[in-house]
Amino acid sequence: MNKKINIKIIAILLSLFMVFSFDFVSNARVIYKDINSISIRTNFNFDFDSISEDGLPDISPGTADGESNDYNVYVSSSAKYQIESAEWYSQGDRDFEIGGSPRVVVYLTTKDYDEYNNYNNNSSNDYYYRFLSSYSSSNCYISKGTFISAQRLSTSNLKVVFALRGIKGTYDAPQNVYWEDNRGTARWESPNVRDSGYYDIVLYRDSSVVARVDRYRGNSYNFSGYFNKVGDYSFKVRTVPGSDAQSEYGKNSEYTESGSIAVDDATLSLIAHGGGASSYNSGRQSVGWVQMNNTWYFYRPDGQMVKNNWIQWQNKWYYLDERGEMKVGVQNINNRYYYLGTDGTMVSGWVNINDTYYYFDTQSGDNFGAMLSNSWVKYDNKYFYFDESGVMVTGWKQIADKNGNVSFYYFYPKGTTQGLYGFMATNTTINGFNIGSDGRWIQS
């Protein structure tokens, strides 16, 4: 009898345990705590000397309690997230010149809720921190840097891209400084690495300053117009920033001095009768870049002005029109559109003109630098499309493939995504329209 009673009691207890266990599980919830702002600190002592032949300096990510630490990218120990990894994310070689702004990508991951709050959660709920779907410069702070973009990879993983402040450094001095002849042609070679392309030149006669030329663009200068007295002439030249903005990051190099040449009465007579001057000898250069009335021209070594043609100067491309004038801005050249910066250099890649994006071909070949139209561009693992006018498409667009088959695609407009926009939607629904993995509207 007692054995039967014990069995009944055990059965009742088991039933009660099951009921309470089921009730406990059924009441458990997953609760997310949003991370409303991000703060990433940088501690780079980054100058040109940090860039060695072995490559870029290593990025050391970590967590710190104060400003003074051994990490060059870090977050506060009290943050609800931590750095998983960090690496260089720059777009081109110019980012690593003096004045350049190298980009860094940081991958963040959320901390455990109980670990962060330092207590045992006795409730039946599961708490997790999660990143917002988007962040901007207003809620993603980068010390000593500029926010570029943030992309949520999952609720617990966030990718942040930012640019460092401009690289500081001292320009290298010009090399091989010499007189090309005894008639006033000064010449020098650009430094191999830290070069701005601009130079200060000082002309001396018997240790007295005769002329100064500031922020000059070129590698030779014709001083024959200043050879008007007998004496020993020499010059010195240094590399300098090309603008006031560049002066914030680049420092003048040391001067490099030439040897001296003796100018006697015979030399003065030769110069006076044109023996030492070209068709353009009023104290300005006859080779390389010449500025006249705020317009730049280019002369070949034979003194001929370049017209209706491209020139490549110090690995950059420039275009001179039928009058020999250096062009800037958007130019139609041989039925192709190019974008030439304010300094005349041809720009490739992304260009924002009047708040509209265009893309100029970055691939080497005949089309290099030309504006793309009716073309796809893959950038940052996303696809963009540029219409017949070269404008980056946003919203819905009908696009034909190479076989003439037309499909609808959707490209995210400005304001609908964080940071980067204009890229093709995939694997989603837009206004009730299903979009496939290839970006096409699925017509069911």
Side-chain angles (χ1 to χ4, degrees):
M1 183 61 122
N2 290 336
K3 188 179 289 186
K4 291 182 178 180
I5 291 173
N6 289 338
I7 292 174
K8 286 183 178 180
I9 292 172
I10 292 172
I12 291 170
L13 291 174
L14 285 173
S15 298
L16 290 173
F17 176 77
M18 293 297 292
V19 168
F20 285 116
S21 297
F22 177 78
D23 184 65
F24 176 80
V25 174
S26 64
N27 288 331
R29 291 189 304 156
V30 173
I31 299 177
Y32 288 103
K33 300 288 187 178
D34 288 336
I35 299 175
N36 295 313
S37 63
I38 300 295
S39 179
I40 300 175
R41 299 187 176 277
T42 65
N43 201 27
F44 283 93
N45 293 315
F46 200 73
D47 57 28
F48 195 90
D49 294 328
S50 303
I51 305 173
S52 67
E53 294 180 357
D54 297 330
L56 297 169
D58 292 333
I59 296 180
S60 174
T63 301
D65 292 318
E67 293 288 342
S68 179
N69 59 80
D70 295 329
Y71 304 115
N72 46 32
V73 175
Y74 64 99
V75 296
S76 170
S77 61
S78 61
K80 302 169 185 177
Y81 45 86
Q82 57 195 7
I83 297 179
E84 186 176 23
S85 64
E87 58 192 51
W88 294 110
Y89 190 73
S90 266
Q91 304 299 306
D93 293 339
R94 289 188 179 183
D95 290 345
F96 300 102
E97 297 176 353
I98 292 177
S101 299
R103 296 186 180 192
V104 176
V105 57
V106 173
Y107 293 92
L108 302 176
T109 183
T110 57
K111 286 184 178 179
D112 181 77
Y113 182 83
D114 288 338
E115 175 188 346
Y116 173 79
N117 287 281
N118 197 27
Y119 71 88
N120 293 321
N121 183 14
N122 294 320
S123 73
S124 60
N125 299 324
D126 291 327
Y127 289 84
Y128 295 97
Y129 281 114
R130 69 177 175 187
F131 291 113
L132 301 179
S133 59
S134 65
Y135 291 91
S136 65
S137 57
S138 63
N139 59 357
C140 189
Y141 171 75
I142 311 293
S143 72
K144 301 179 184 178
T146 303
F147 173 83
I148 301 295
S149 66
Q151 178 186 4
R152 187 173 75 171
L153 305 177
S154 69
T155 56
S156 59
N157 291 277
L158 184 71
K159 172 186 175 182
V160 180
V161 179
F162 60 88
L164 300 178
R165 293 178 181 175
I167 300 174
K168 294 184 178 181
T170 301
Y171 292 111
D172 285 340
Q175 308 175 81
N176 196 20
V177 177
Y178 63 98
W179 288 109
E180 187 175 81
D181 49 44
N182 66 346
R183 302 167 187 175
T185 304
R187 186 172 290 279
W188 59 93
E189 294 179 4
S190 303
N192 291 330
V193 183
R194 308 179 197 184
D195 181 35
S196 67
Y198 291 84
Y199 309 94
D200 287 348
I201 319 162
V202 184
L203 175 67
Y204 294 88
R205 182 181 63 246
D206 298 331
S207 301
S208 297
V209 175
V210 176
R212 293 180 182 271
V213 182
D214 294 331
R215 285 183 179 174
Y216 177 76
R217 186 180 182 181
N219 290 85
S220 66
Y221 197 93
N222 192 326
F223 280 115
S224 62
Y226 296 97
F227 280 23
N228 49 20
K229 292 183 180 180
V230 171
D232 289 333
Y233 286 80
S234 63
F235 71 95
K236 64 181 182 180
V237 58
R238 67 181 178 181
T239 311
V240 298
S243 65
D244 292 338
Q246 289 181 0
S247 299
E248 181 180 354
Y249 304 105
K251 295 181 180 179
N252 299 334
S253 75
E254 297 293 329
Y255 278 105
T256 304
E257 298 186 15
S258 73
S260 63
I261 55 173
V263 175
D264 53 19
D265 288 331
T267 304
L268 291 178
S269 177
L270 181 64
I271 294 174
H273 291 84
S278 67
S279 59
Y280 183 68
N281 67 352
S282 59
R284 297 174 181 172
Q285 76 167 81
S286 58
V287 177
W289 290 103
V290 174
Q291 187 179 34
M292 294 183 284
N293 298 323
N294 296 320
T295 300
W296 287 99
Y297 301 83
F298 189 87
Y299 288 84
R300 299 187 189 280
D302 60 3
Q304 294 298 310
M305 179 189 292
V306 175
K307 297 181 181 181
N308 277 330
N309 211 345
W310 291 94
I311 62 164
Q312 188 177 21
W313 181 257
Q314 297 181 353
N315 296 319
K316 299 174 184 177
W317 287 96
Y318 303 80
Y319 187 79
L320 294 309
D321 68 9
E322 66 277 1
R323 295 183 297 274
E325 296 179 358
M326 183 190 77
K327 306 302 292 181
V328 298
V330 178
Q331 300 293 328
N332 185 345
I333 302 171
N334 297 327
N335 296 319
R336 292 175 178 170
Y337 285 94
Y338 297 84
Y339 186 79
L340 308 173
T342 55
D343 62 351
T345 58
M346 184 188 75
V347 179
S348 61
W350 293 93
V351 175
N352 187 322
I353 304 173
N354 298 325
D355 204 30
T356 299
Y357 278 100
Y358 301 81
Y359 194 87
F360 295 81
D361 200 348
T362 60
Q363 302 299 314
S364 60
D366 293 340
N367 204 50
F368 176 62
M371 184 182 75
L372 298 184
S373 59
N374 292 322
S375 300
W376 290 93
V377 169
K378 185 179 181 181
Y379 176 79
D380 198 23
N381 291 321
K382 296 178 175 61
Y383 286 92
F384 301 78
Y385 190 79
F386 296 83
D387 67 14
E388 60 278 2
S389 300
V391 174
M392 182 185 75
V393 171
T394 58
W396 290 101
K397 176 70 174 177
Q398 275 187 302
I399 302 173
D401 62 20
K402 61 182 179 181
N403 298 319
N405 300 315
V406 177
S407 300
F408 278 97
Y409 298 82
Y410 184 82
F411 302 86
Y412 290 106
K414 185 177 183 180
T416 60
T417 58
Q418 174 58 44
L420 196 65
Y421 68 94
F423 56 89
M424 180 185 73
T426 59
N427 292 321
T428 188
T429 300
I430 303 295
N431 299 328
F433 295 90
N434 294 324
I435 307 295
S437 59
D438 59 357
R440 290 183 172 90
W441 167 39
I442 301 174
Q443 303 183 47
S444 54

